Amino acid sequence: MSEADESYGLLSETSSIDETRNPARQRHLPAQAALDWLRAGWRDLLVRPGLSLAYGVAVFVITALLAWALIASGRDYILFPAIAGYMIVAPVLAIGLYEKSRALEAGEQPTLRTMLLVRPQAGAQIFYTGLLLCLLMLLWNRAAVLVYALFFGVRAFPGLDGVVAMLLTTPTGWAMLILGTLIGGLFAAFGFAISVFSIPMLLDQRTDALTAMGTSMAMVWNNLTPMIAWGAVVLALFAASAVTGFLGFVVIFPLLGHATWHAYRAMR
């Protein structure tokens, strides 16, 4: 082969989406697999339900306290971005639920102590993953503030009572909502891709944080159909919790936590 015939991956060359995927990571699951994971999560929740519901109550209390702290400190302008960014760090908070599902799968007896004092196989690597996810959430909050400033300049935040009218009754508000949703969607998609399987993997396997996050992203990219469906389920249930003032977290958070473990096991 002559030098002219060789391919060097120049910028003029293009690859199809299929060429970026790895057949070894494809599980060929249908979109309905998301509902199967949800049903499996519900079964885990019903085994010693008090453990899961107590976990959900704790998450609800933490969420309510954080929301109150933002409002009380005069930082209500980042309340909505913080609520949206909460989904980024939620997998870290759910590690105790993953532990319960893991124990049930292994035929062990889960306890509240083992759910709260989890000993992941990856050790402190799970801390580094959690730190990176927290930084990503903080970055999203800063981006949201910048988007607001881009459209409204130095105009003071109208407060929770006036923000809905400002956003929904003015062209500027609609423009900000559209751009903010697009940017937030990018943050959410990236956060979902690197975290959905990385935390369960660090609990289950002895590996490092970057490998776990990279593997999680690869599994999502190679199984887009079920993962888009699963992301839609998570978003819908999270929105339902937000509508109830996060009281729905008492049941929905444990349900999603247990179901995510089964999603991880199906993708291994």
Side-chain angles (χ1 to χ4, degrees):
M1 179 184 297
S2 67
E3 184 176 346
D5 294 329
E6 294 179 1
S7 175
Y8 294 98
L10 300 178
L11 293 178
S12 59
E13 296 179 358
T14 59
S15 299
S16 66
I17 291 179
D18 288 337
E19 288 179 300
T20 68
R21 293 178 176 165
N22 182 357
R25 296 196 181 278
Q26 295 177 4
R27 300 296 178 263
H28 305 290
L29 296 173
Q32 292 83 349
L35 298 180
D36 295 335
W37 302 334
L38 206 60
R39 283 190 286 266
W42 182 251
R43 288 194 297 269
D44 285 358
L45 190 153
L46 293 180
V47 178
R48 303 195 67 185
L51 298 178
S52 298
L53 295 179
Y55 205 98
V57 169
V59 172
F60 163 70
V61 170
I62 292 172
T63 306
L65 287 176
L66 288 175
W68 173 83
L70 289 175
I71 296 173
S73 63
R75 298 181 180 273
D76 52 351
Y77 60 91
I78 63 170
L79 180 60
F80 292 126
I83 290 173
Y86 200 66
M87 295 181 64
I88 296 175
V89 298
V92 180
L93 298 178
I95 186 171
L97 300 166
Y98 304 153
E99 171 60 23
K100 179 186 174 184
S101 290
R102 184 208 63 78
L104 292 174
E105 185 180 274
E108 302 172 1
Q109 189 73 5
T111 65
L112 187 59
R113 181 176 181 276
T114 57
M115 290 174 65
L116 295 178
L117 303 177
V118 181
R119 301 183 64 180
Q121 290 293 319
Q125 291 295 320
I126 205 163
F127 168 79
Y128 301 132
T129 304
L131 179 60
L132 289 173
L133 292 176
C134 287
L135 292 174
L136 181 62
M137 185 181 74
L138 291 175
L139 182 61
W140 154 238
N141 285 335
R142 179 51 55 187
V145 172
L146 292 176
V147 169
Y148 177 86
L150 177 65
F151 285 92
F152 293 102
V154 295
R155 176 180 174 181
F157 186 71
L160 297 179
D161 295 334
V163 67
V164 174
M166 183 184 73
L167 293 177
L168 299 183
T169 62
T170 65
T172 304
W174 277 106
M176 195 199 81
L177 276 177
I178 293 172
L179 180 62
T181 299
L182 291 174
I183 296 176
L186 292 175
F187 274 94
F190 180 72
F192 175 79
I194 66 174
S195 66
V196 63
F197 297 132
S198 60
I199 305 299
M201 183 180 300
L202 291 168
L203 170 67
D204 187 48
Q205 302 178 33
R206 189 173 180 81
T207 186
D208 63 272
L210 293 179
T211 297
M213 288 187 287
T215 302
S216 178
M217 180 173 285
M219 294 306 298
V220 170
W221 179 245
N222 284 281
N223 299 275
L224 283 178
T225 298
M227 294 315 301
I228 290 175
W230 180 238
V233 168
V234 172
L235 181 61
L237 292 179
F238 187 89
S241 295
V243 168
T244 64
F246 296 105
L247 188 61
F249 264 170
V250 174
V251 175
I252 289 176
F253 195 88
L255 174 61
L256 290 177
H258 293 312
T260 298
W261 173 261
H262 289 282
Y264 159 70
R265 296 295 290 174
M267 292 292 180
R268 278 195 59 184

